[in-house]
Amino acid sequence: MQHRELQQKVNHLHTFTLQDLENLFQKVDRSQLSRWESRGWLIRISDGLYALDTKRLDVHLLANEITPSYISLEYALSYYQMIPEIVRVVTSITAGSSREEKTPVGMFLYQKVKPELVTGYVLKKSTFNDVAFKIATPEKAMFDLAYVRQDLGDETDYESMRFNIPEGFDTLLLENFIQLVDSGIRKNRMYKFFSPLLGEGSTEKEELVSLI
């Protein structure tokens, strides 16, 4: 396998794996890949994941490729301009293991949830050939934040986040996500946190949950 041949074969890919190379070339010399990496001809993103050039990488698409996931939490809220902070770490939800991944193009953080909660995301076009990446809806990003962040427990915590709720935000959809939570304690905490947003209706649901 020559480097020029590699470029021709994978140039249409945003990133590629060792399995991709084995499918293309049958036999892959990992020491050769290491040499190319040391020369700057190849970029190793994470174990077994490579790219030809960091300049054409889209961090949103990359977040999905490092491990099966969708972008959510603080990064998604910043993406939608729902919080005032600029978030540099790309935060995602996964059904796999929670992990941090430091790469040549930035840090990626993954939070594990139950498989049934891996939902509520949409597809957006990336800067790489319009390939789509997965990102939570505004409602699901808020849900995920409250679900993962055990320190967010009441309306004071909600106000401290300084949320900018966008026009068209669907509070019913947010409540539907909360109903997926099987822990009564966690569900109650989330209703208390979201009470400034959900209003009196959330209090009624909270009382019902407390009886479970």
Side-chain angles (χ1 to χ4, degrees):
M1 176 176 62
Q2 301 297 317
H3 185 256
R4 180 171 296 180
E5 185 181 11
L6 172 68
Q7 288 179 307
Q8 293 173 344
K9 293 281 189 179
V10 302
N11 189 59
H12 66 291
L13 299 175
H14 184 248
T15 60
F16 51 92
T17 65
L18 286 173
Q19 185 61 56
D20 291 329
L21 295 181
E22 289 172 357
N23 292 340
L24 289 169
F25 300 103
Q26 283 75 55
K27 187 177 180 180
V28 177
D29 184 348
R30 297 196 182 197
S31 62
Q32 184 181 49
L33 297 181
S34 296
R35 289 194 298 272
W36 288 349
E37 183 184 348
S38 64
R39 295 176 183 175
W41 295 355
L42 190 66
I43 308 299
R44 186 172 72 86
I45 303 300
S46 62
D47 289 341
L49 185 67
Y50 298 88
L52 289 178
D53 188 351
T54 58
K55 293 180 181 179
R56 65 183 200 161
L57 290 178
D58 184 308
V59 294
H60 306 112
L61 187 56
L62 186 58
N64 291 178
E65 293 174 335
I66 290 174
T67 196
S69 60
Y70 64 91
I71 296 170
S72 188
L73 306 164
E74 293 90 347
Y75 190 92
L77 293 172
S78 177
Y79 176 91
Y80 292 122
Q81 299 182 345
M82 293 176 64
I83 55 176
E85 296 82 7
I86 297 174
V87 179
R88 303 296 184 186
V89 177
V90 184
T91 52
S92 297
I93 291 294
T94 180
S97 301
S98 296
R99 59 190 280 200
E100 289 184 2
E101 195 72 49
K102 187 176 182 180
T103 77
V105 293
M107 180 73 77
F108 296 81
L109 175 65
Y110 297 88
Q111 294 284 357
K112 178 181 179 178
V113 300
K114 295 181 178 181
E116 57 266 30
L117 295 179
V118 179
T119 185
Y121 54 82
V122 293
L123 299 178
K124 301 276 189 179
K125 286 184 179 181
S126 73
T127 58
F128 182 81
N129 295 340
D130 288 337
V131 177
F133 64 90
K134 299 175 184 177
I135 186 168
T137 63
E139 297 85 357
K140 189 54 163 48
M142 287 192 73
F143 166 86
D144 287 338
L145 184 74
Y147 183 87
V148 169
R149 292 271 304 272
Q150 300 292 321
D151 60 310
L152 300 178
D154 57 30
E155 59 184 87
T156 301
D157 296 324
Y158 178 90
E159 299 296 346
S160 72
M161 293 297 300
R162 297 180 295 167
F163 289 119
N164 175 35
I165 304 303
E167 184 178 350
F169 186 92
D170 190 341
T171 56
L172 179 59
L173 182 57
L174 174 60
E175 291 193 70
N176 288 341
F177 289 135
I178 297 174
Q179 287 302 309
L180 296 176
V181 178
D182 55 12
S183 166
I185 293 175
R186 176 174 261 164
K187 193 179 291 186
N188 274 337
R189 177 182 61 77
M190 295 180 73
Y191 272 124
K192 288 178 182 178
F193 174 69
F194 285 123
S195 60
L197 177 63
L198 299 180
E200 294 180 2
S202 64
T203 303
E204 296 175 5
K205 284 186 169 62
E206 180 183 319
E207 291 173 352
L208 292 175
V209 170
S210 66
L211 297 176
I212 297 174

